[in-house]
Short mmCIF file of all heavy atoms in Angstrom, two decimals:
data_model
loop_
_atom_site.label_atom_id
_atom_site.label_comp_id
_atom_site.label_asym_id
_atom_site.label_seq_id
_atom_site.Cartn_x
_atom_site.Cartn_y
_atom_site.Cartn_z
N SER A 1 213.72 2.41 89.74
CA SER A 1 213.71 2.89 88.37
C SER A 1 212.28 3.14 87.89
O SER A 1 211.36 2.39 88.20
CB SER A 1 214.39 1.87 87.47
OG SER A 1 214.38 2.29 86.13
N LYS A 2 212.11 4.22 87.11
CA LYS A 2 210.80 4.52 86.52
C LYS A 2 210.48 3.47 85.46
O LYS A 2 211.38 2.89 84.83
CB LYS A 2 210.82 5.90 85.88
CG LYS A 2 210.98 7.05 86.87
CD LYS A 2 209.70 7.35 87.57
CE LYS A 2 209.81 8.62 88.41
NZ LYS A 2 208.53 8.97 89.07
N ARG A 3 209.17 3.24 85.26
CA ARG A 3 208.75 2.24 84.28
C ARG A 3 207.86 2.91 83.24
O ARG A 3 206.86 3.55 83.57
CB ARG A 3 208.00 1.11 84.97
CG ARG A 3 208.74 0.52 86.17
CD ARG A 3 208.04 -0.70 86.71
NE ARG A 3 208.33 -1.88 85.91
CZ ARG A 3 207.71 -3.05 86.08
NH1 ARG A 3 206.74 -3.18 86.96
NH2 ARG A 3 208.03 -4.08 85.34
N VAL A 4 208.24 2.76 81.97
CA VAL A 4 207.51 3.35 80.86
C VAL A 4 206.87 2.24 80.04
O VAL A 4 207.55 1.31 79.60
CB VAL A 4 208.44 4.20 79.96
CG1 VAL A 4 207.67 4.74 78.76
CG2 VAL A 4 209.06 5.34 80.75
N LEU A 5 205.55 2.34 79.85
CA LEU A 5 204.82 1.35 79.04
C LEU A 5 204.64 1.90 77.63
O LEU A 5 204.05 2.96 77.43
CB LEU A 5 203.46 1.06 79.67
CG LEU A 5 202.57 0.06 78.91
CD1 LEU A 5 203.20 -1.33 78.91
CD2 LEU A 5 201.17 0.02 79.51
N ILE A 6 205.17 1.17 76.65
CA ILE A 6 205.03 1.54 75.25
C ILE A 6 203.90 0.72 74.65
O ILE A 6 203.98 -0.52 74.61
CB ILE A 6 206.34 1.29 74.48
CG1 ILE A 6 207.49 2.07 75.11
CG2 ILE A 6 206.18 1.66 73.00
CD1 ILE A 6 208.85 1.69 74.57
N VAL A 7 202.84 1.38 74.19
CA VAL A 7 201.67 0.68 73.67
C VAL A 7 201.56 0.91 72.17
O VAL A 7 201.35 2.04 71.71
CB VAL A 7 200.38 1.14 74.37
CG1 VAL A 7 199.18 0.33 73.83
CG2 VAL A 7 200.49 0.99 75.88
N ASP A 8 201.71 -0.16 71.41
CA ASP A 8 201.58 -0.10 69.95
C ASP A 8 201.32 -1.51 69.46
O ASP A 8 201.93 -2.46 69.96
CB ASP A 8 202.85 0.48 69.32
CG ASP A 8 202.61 0.97 67.90
OD1 ASP A 8 202.07 0.19 67.08
OD2 ASP A 8 202.97 2.11 67.59
N ASP A 9 200.44 -1.67 68.49
CA ASP A 9 200.14 -2.99 67.95
C ASP A 9 201.19 -3.47 66.95
O ASP A 9 201.20 -4.64 66.56
CB ASP A 9 198.76 -2.99 67.27
CG ASP A 9 197.63 -2.89 68.29
OD1 ASP A 9 197.83 -3.32 69.44
OD2 ASP A 9 196.56 -2.36 67.94
N ASP A 10 202.05 -2.56 66.51
CA ASP A 10 203.10 -2.91 65.55
C ASP A 10 204.39 -3.22 66.32
O ASP A 10 205.00 -2.33 66.92
CB ASP A 10 203.33 -1.73 64.60
CG ASP A 10 204.27 -2.06 63.46
OD1 ASP A 10 205.18 -2.90 63.68
OD2 ASP A 10 204.12 -1.50 62.36
N ILE A 11 204.80 -4.48 66.33
CA ILE A 11 205.98 -4.88 67.10
C ILE A 11 207.24 -4.17 66.62
O ILE A 11 208.14 -3.86 67.41
CB ILE A 11 206.16 -6.42 67.05
CG1 ILE A 11 207.26 -6.85 68.02
CG2 ILE A 11 206.43 -6.89 65.63
CD1 ILE A 11 207.37 -8.35 68.18
N ASN A 12 207.32 -3.87 65.33
CA ASN A 12 208.50 -3.18 64.81
C ASN A 12 208.58 -1.75 65.35
O ASN A 12 209.67 -1.27 65.69
CB ASN A 12 208.46 -3.15 63.28
CG ASN A 12 208.62 -4.54 62.67
OD1 ASN A 12 209.41 -5.35 63.16
ND2 ASN A 12 207.88 -4.82 61.61
N ARG A 13 207.42 -1.08 65.46
CA ARG A 13 207.43 0.27 66.02
C ARG A 13 207.76 0.23 67.50
O ARG A 13 208.45 1.11 68.02
CB ARG A 13 206.08 0.96 65.78
CG ARG A 13 205.92 1.49 64.36
CD ARG A 13 204.90 2.60 64.27
NE ARG A 13 203.59 2.23 64.78
CZ ARG A 13 202.47 2.26 64.04
NH1 ARG A 13 202.53 2.59 62.77
NH2 ARG A 13 201.32 1.94 64.58
N ARG A 14 207.25 -0.80 68.21
CA ARG A 14 207.58 -0.92 69.64
C ARG A 14 209.09 -1.06 69.82
O ARG A 14 209.68 -0.45 70.72
CB ARG A 14 206.85 -2.10 70.27
CG ARG A 14 205.35 -1.94 70.35
CD ARG A 14 204.75 -2.83 71.43
NE ARG A 14 205.03 -4.24 71.27
CZ ARG A 14 204.24 -5.09 70.64
NH1 ARG A 14 203.10 -4.67 70.09
NH2 ARG A 14 204.55 -6.38 70.55
N GLN A 15 209.69 -1.87 68.99
CA GLN A 15 211.15 -2.06 69.09
C GLN A 15 211.90 -0.78 68.75
O GLN A 15 212.91 -0.45 69.38
CB GLN A 15 211.58 -3.20 68.17
CG GLN A 15 211.07 -4.57 68.61
CD GLN A 15 211.38 -5.67 67.61
OE1 GLN A 15 211.72 -5.40 66.45
NE2 GLN A 15 211.25 -6.92 68.03
N LEU A 16 211.37 -0.02 67.78
CA LEU A 16 212.00 1.25 67.41
C LEU A 16 211.92 2.24 68.55
O LEU A 16 212.91 2.91 68.89
CB LEU A 16 211.33 1.82 66.16
CG LEU A 16 211.85 3.19 65.68
CD1 LEU A 16 213.33 3.10 65.33
CD2 LEU A 16 211.03 3.67 64.47
N PHE A 17 210.74 2.32 69.18
CA PHE A 17 210.59 3.22 70.32
C PHE A 17 211.54 2.83 71.45
O PHE A 17 212.12 3.68 72.12
CB PHE A 17 209.14 3.20 70.84
CG PHE A 17 208.15 3.84 69.91
CD1 PHE A 17 206.84 3.39 69.86
CD2 PHE A 17 208.51 4.89 69.08
CE1 PHE A 17 205.91 3.97 69.01
CE2 PHE A 17 207.60 5.48 68.23
CZ PHE A 17 206.29 5.01 68.18
N SER A 18 211.70 1.53 71.65
CA SER A 18 212.59 1.05 72.71
C SER A 18 214.02 1.50 72.45
O SER A 18 214.76 1.88 73.37
CB SER A 18 212.53 -0.47 72.82
OG SER A 18 211.25 -0.89 73.25
N LEU A 19 214.44 1.47 71.18
CA LEU A 19 215.79 1.93 70.84
C LEU A 19 215.93 3.43 71.06
O LEU A 19 216.93 3.90 71.61
CB LEU A 19 216.09 1.59 69.37
CG LEU A 19 216.29 0.11 69.03
CD1 LEU A 19 216.43 -0.07 67.52
CD2 LEU A 19 217.55 -0.42 69.74
N VAL A 20 214.90 4.19 70.65
CA VAL A 20 214.94 5.64 70.80
C VAL A 20 215.00 6.03 72.28
O VAL A 20 215.69 6.98 72.67
CB VAL A 20 213.70 6.28 70.13
CG1 VAL A 20 213.60 7.77 70.50
CG2 VAL A 20 213.78 6.12 68.62
N LEU A 21 214.28 5.28 73.12
CA LEU A 21 214.17 5.62 74.54
C LEU A 21 215.26 4.96 75.38
O LEU A 21 215.22 5.04 76.61
CB LEU A 21 212.80 5.21 75.07
CG LEU A 21 211.59 5.81 74.34
CD1 LEU A 21 210.29 5.33 74.98
CD2 LEU A 21 211.65 7.33 74.34
N GLY A 22 216.22 4.33 74.72
CA GLY A 22 217.25 3.60 75.46
C GLY A 22 218.06 4.46 76.41
O GLY A 22 218.60 3.97 77.40
N ASP A 23 218.16 5.77 76.12
CA ASP A 23 218.95 6.67 76.97
C ASP A 23 218.21 7.15 78.20
O ASP A 23 218.76 7.92 78.99
CB ASP A 23 219.40 7.89 76.16
CG ASP A 23 220.42 7.53 75.08
OD1 ASP A 23 221.07 6.48 75.24
OD2 ASP A 23 220.54 8.28 74.10
N LEU A 24 216.97 6.73 78.39
CA LEU A 24 216.18 7.23 79.51
C LEU A 24 216.61 6.64 80.85
O LEU A 24 216.27 7.17 81.90
CB LEU A 24 214.69 6.92 79.30
CG LEU A 24 213.91 7.85 78.39
CD1 LEU A 24 212.48 7.35 78.23
CD2 LEU A 24 213.90 9.27 78.93
N GLN A 25 217.33 5.53 80.82
CA GLN A 25 217.74 4.84 82.05
C GLN A 25 216.52 4.50 82.91
O GLN A 25 216.45 4.84 84.10
CB GLN A 25 218.74 5.70 82.83
CG GLN A 25 220.04 5.92 82.08
CD GLN A 25 221.05 6.72 82.87
OE1 GLN A 25 220.69 7.44 83.80
NE2 GLN A 25 222.32 6.60 82.51
N CYS A 26 215.56 3.84 82.28
CA CYS A 26 214.37 3.38 82.97
C CYS A 26 213.98 2.02 82.42
O CYS A 26 214.58 1.54 81.46
CB CYS A 26 213.22 4.38 82.79
SG CYS A 26 212.66 4.52 81.08
N ASP A 27 212.99 1.39 83.05
CA ASP A 27 212.51 0.10 82.57
C ASP A 27 211.47 0.34 81.48
O ASP A 27 210.47 1.02 81.70
CB ASP A 27 211.88 -0.68 83.72
CG ASP A 27 212.90 -1.08 84.77
OD1 ASP A 27 214.08 -1.21 84.41
OD2 ASP A 27 212.51 -1.24 85.94
N LEU A 28 211.72 -0.22 80.30
CA LEU A 28 210.80 -0.09 79.18
C LEU A 28 210.01 -1.38 79.03
O LEU A 28 210.58 -2.47 78.96
CB LEU A 28 211.57 0.21 77.89
CG LEU A 28 212.41 1.50 77.88
CD1 LEU A 28 213.22 1.60 76.60
CD2 LEU A 28 211.52 2.72 78.06
N ILE A 29 208.68 -1.25 78.98
CA ILE A 29 207.80 -2.40 78.86
C ILE A 29 206.97 -2.24 77.59
O ILE A 29 206.32 -1.20 77.40
CB ILE A 29 206.87 -2.51 80.09
CG1 ILE A 29 207.71 -2.61 81.37
CG2 ILE A 29 205.95 -3.72 79.96
CD1 ILE A 29 206.90 -2.46 82.63
N ASN A 30 206.98 -3.25 76.74
CA ASN A 30 206.23 -3.20 75.48
C ASN A 30 204.90 -3.93 75.62
O ASN A 30 204.82 -4.97 76.29
CB ASN A 30 207.03 -3.83 74.34
CG ASN A 30 208.22 -2.98 73.96
OD1 ASN A 30 208.12 -1.75 73.90
ND2 ASN A 30 209.36 -3.61 73.70
N SER A 31 203.87 -3.38 74.97
CA SER A 31 202.56 -4.03 75.04
C SER A 31 201.76 -3.69 73.79
O SER A 31 201.89 -2.60 73.22
CB SER A 31 201.80 -3.54 76.29
OG SER A 31 200.47 -4.01 76.29
N ASP A 32 200.90 -4.64 73.39
CA ASP A 32 199.92 -4.31 72.36
C ASP A 32 198.67 -3.77 73.06
O ASP A 32 198.59 -3.71 74.28
CB ASP A 32 199.60 -5.52 71.49
CG ASP A 32 199.05 -6.70 72.28
OD1 ASP A 32 198.62 -6.51 73.44
OD2 ASP A 32 199.04 -7.82 71.75
N THR A 33 197.69 -3.37 72.27
CA THR A 33 196.49 -2.74 72.84
C THR A 33 195.72 -3.69 73.74
O THR A 33 195.26 -3.30 74.82
CB THR A 33 195.54 -2.28 71.71
OG1 THR A 33 196.30 -1.71 70.65
CG2 THR A 33 194.54 -1.27 72.22
N ASP A 34 195.56 -4.94 73.31
CA ASP A 34 194.71 -5.88 74.04
C ASP A 34 195.20 -6.15 75.46
O ASP A 34 194.40 -6.39 76.36
CB ASP A 34 194.60 -7.20 73.27
CG ASP A 34 193.82 -7.06 71.97
OD1 ASP A 34 192.95 -6.17 71.91
OD2 ASP A 34 194.08 -7.82 71.03
N SER A 35 196.50 -6.11 75.66
CA SER A 35 197.03 -6.42 76.99
C SER A 35 197.45 -5.19 77.78
O SER A 35 197.91 -5.31 78.92
CB SER A 35 198.23 -7.37 76.87
OG SER A 35 199.24 -6.80 76.05
N ALA A 36 197.27 -4.00 77.21
CA ALA A 36 197.74 -2.77 77.86
C ALA A 36 197.05 -2.53 79.20
O ALA A 36 197.72 -2.24 80.20
CB ALA A 36 197.53 -1.58 76.93
N LEU A 37 195.73 -2.61 79.25
CA LEU A 37 195.01 -2.35 80.50
C LEU A 37 195.37 -3.38 81.57
O LEU A 37 195.49 -3.04 82.75
CB LEU A 37 193.50 -2.31 80.26
CG LEU A 37 192.97 -1.08 79.51
CD1 LEU A 37 191.47 -1.22 79.27
CD2 LEU A 37 193.26 0.20 80.29
N THR A 38 195.54 -4.63 81.15
CA THR A 38 195.95 -5.67 82.11
C THR A 38 197.31 -5.33 82.69
O THR A 38 197.54 -5.45 83.90
CB THR A 38 196.00 -7.04 81.42
OG1 THR A 38 194.71 -7.35 80.90
CG2 THR A 38 196.42 -8.12 82.41
N ARG A 39 198.22 -4.88 81.84
CA ARG A 39 199.54 -4.47 82.30
C ARG A 39 199.42 -3.34 83.32
O ARG A 39 200.09 -3.35 84.36
CB ARG A 39 200.37 -3.98 81.12
CG ARG A 39 200.95 -5.08 80.27
CD ARG A 39 202.25 -5.58 80.86
NE ARG A 39 203.01 -6.36 79.92
CZ ARG A 39 204.18 -6.88 80.18
NH1 ARG A 39 204.73 -6.71 81.37
NH2 ARG A 39 204.83 -7.60 79.28
N LEU A 40 198.59 -2.38 83.03
CA LEU A 40 198.46 -1.22 83.91
C LEU A 40 197.88 -1.60 85.27
O LEU A 40 198.25 -1.02 86.29
CB LEU A 40 197.57 -0.15 83.25
CG LEU A 40 198.20 0.58 82.05
CD1 LEU A 40 197.17 1.46 81.35
CD2 LEU A 40 199.38 1.43 82.52
N HIS A 41 196.98 -2.57 85.28
CA HIS A 41 196.36 -2.98 86.54
C HIS A 41 197.28 -3.85 87.38
O HIS A 41 197.14 -3.89 88.61
CB HIS A 41 195.05 -3.73 86.26
CG HIS A 41 193.90 -2.82 85.94
ND1 HIS A 41 193.29 -2.01 86.88
CD2 HIS A 41 193.24 -2.59 84.77
CE1 HIS A 41 192.31 -1.33 86.31
NE2 HIS A 41 192.25 -1.66 85.03
N HIS A 42 198.22 -4.54 86.73
CA HIS A 42 199.06 -5.49 87.48
C HIS A 42 200.49 -5.02 87.68
O HIS A 42 201.18 -5.51 88.57
CB HIS A 42 199.06 -6.85 86.77
CG HIS A 42 197.76 -7.57 86.85
ND1 HIS A 42 196.75 -7.40 85.92
CD2 HIS A 42 197.27 -8.45 87.77
CE1 HIS A 42 195.71 -8.15 86.25
NE2 HIS A 42 195.99 -8.79 87.36
N ASP A 43 200.97 -4.08 86.84
CA ASP A 43 202.34 -3.58 86.97
C ASP A 43 202.32 -2.14 87.45
O ASP A 43 201.34 -1.41 87.22
CB ASP A 43 203.07 -3.65 85.62
CG ASP A 43 203.21 -5.07 85.12
OD1 ASP A 43 203.16 -5.99 85.95
OD2 ASP A 43 203.38 -5.25 83.90
N GLU A 44 203.36 -1.73 88.10
CA GLU A 44 203.48 -0.34 88.53
C GLU A 44 204.12 0.46 87.40
O GLU A 44 205.33 0.46 87.21
CB GLU A 44 204.34 -0.25 89.81
CG GLU A 44 203.68 -0.89 91.02
CD GLU A 44 204.50 -0.68 92.28
OE1 GLU A 44 205.51 0.05 92.22
OE2 GLU A 44 204.14 -1.25 93.31
N ILE A 45 203.26 1.15 86.65
CA ILE A 45 203.70 1.93 85.48
C ILE A 45 203.71 3.41 85.85
O ILE A 45 202.78 3.92 86.48
CB ILE A 45 202.79 1.68 84.27
CG1 ILE A 45 202.73 0.19 83.92
CG2 ILE A 45 203.24 2.51 83.07
CD1 ILE A 45 204.05 -0.40 83.51
#
């Protein structure tokens, strides 16, 4: 499955994006700005 990283510092917007993208049939990963680069280096996005 494809993996999509959603980067936003607002947790409510991240949750909204997750709902909107629910039909993509992929793995959705939420992150704030501070941890985004760490996620990219350690996860296959």
